[in-house]
Amino acid sequence: MATSAPTRDSVLTRAVRIFDTFTPDDPVLTVSEIARRSGLHLATASRLVAELVEHGLLARDDDRRVRMGVRMWELALRASPALTLRDTAMPFLEDAHYVVKHHVQLGVLDGTEVIFLERLSAPGAVINYTRIAGRLPLHVSSSGLVLLAFGGPALQEHVLSGPLPAYTDNTITTPARLRAELAEVRKQGFAWCPGYVHPDALGIAVPVRGARGAVVAAVSAIVPNHPDNRAVIGVLTAAARGIGRSLTGPPLTH
């Protein structure tokens, strides 16, 4: 049974906990499921859900189940740094996708994860677990390794000292291997991740640099796991350079 939230939690904190219960795999939930996932008492969750529905941040289906509201989508579109980066990158992502044919993605750093702002795919493309607004740990994906390699020492040590869960037998799971991989990424300027997330998929990523030279994002491709796909590196590098030249203003920070 879910327990009531500690009294030190503000209403805003409890609302955020409710929003966090929704995932790409579970976009629609009952109030009871929301209460259980958020750790809120059922009566508290029910009251907050009703208020959020009233403000349009959540919505109810005909069967009374709850989903994100249209107003939440509207507010999310005002997240100007991510929106500006995504809009700037789109023409270059589309050009790269035309050549790659499988998946091309744009990811940024958020805490100790990479969050994907955009993903272009094709029918029959190789399996890919990422999705728009989806997240992956930094040590798992090619985009994450690029962002970690060019991130600050504090971030790197934090990730190196934490758990490194495996997705496949090829996933990096030891600090020594991860440290060596990050050094290689910095040296060669790209991440090459054969089978790190799925045995059949190869992740390749390159950094996107802003006006001051700081890495603000990663452009990646997910293609079949075959060494002949090294030509994709050049395609991604050209896209990343185009995005970087088009960016204006200070680099994004997280």
Side-chain angles (χ1 to χ4, degrees), residues 228-250:
D228 286 351
N229 280 316
R230 294 189 71 86
V232 172
I233 299 170
V235 176
L236 296 178
T237 300
R241 287 174 178 167
I243 297 168
R245 286 194 298 266
S246 300
L247 288 173
T248 58

Side-chain angles (χ1 to χ4, degrees), residues 88-180:
T88 300
M90 275 303 294
F92 303 98
L93 296 178
E94 289 170 347
D95 287 347
H97 182 248
Y98 180 79
V99 178
V100 171
K101 305 297 185 186
H102 287 267
H103 309 278
V104 173
Q105 307 171 150
L106 178 70
V108 296
L109 180 67
D110 187 27
T112 58
E113 297 175 307
V114 53
I115 183 169
F116 295 93
L117 303 183
E118 185 57 79
R119 188 188 87 168
L120 303 179
S121 300
V126 69
I127 188 169
N128 184 7
Y129 288 157
T130 62
R131 31 183 122 186
I132 297 173
R135 297 170 179 268
L136 281 174
L138 294 177
H139 75 285
V140 168
S141 72
S142 56
S143 293
L145 286 173
V146 163
L147 296 169
L148 183 58
F150 293 99
L155 172 64
Q156 293 171 10
E157 293 305 317
H158 179 70
V159 174
L160 285 161
S161 64
L164 302 172
Y167 280 50
T168 71
D169 292 341
N170 295 322
T171 306
I172 298 173
T173 57
T174 65
R177 185 182 168 201
L178 179 55
R179 198 181 295 275

Side-chain angles (χ1 to χ4, degrees), residues 4 9 28-29 34 72 83 89 92 100 140 223 227 240-241:
S4 60
D9 281 0
V28 184
L29 299 169
I34 292 171
M72 177 62 79
L83 184 61
F92 303 98
V100 171
V140 168
V223 295
R241 287 174 178 167

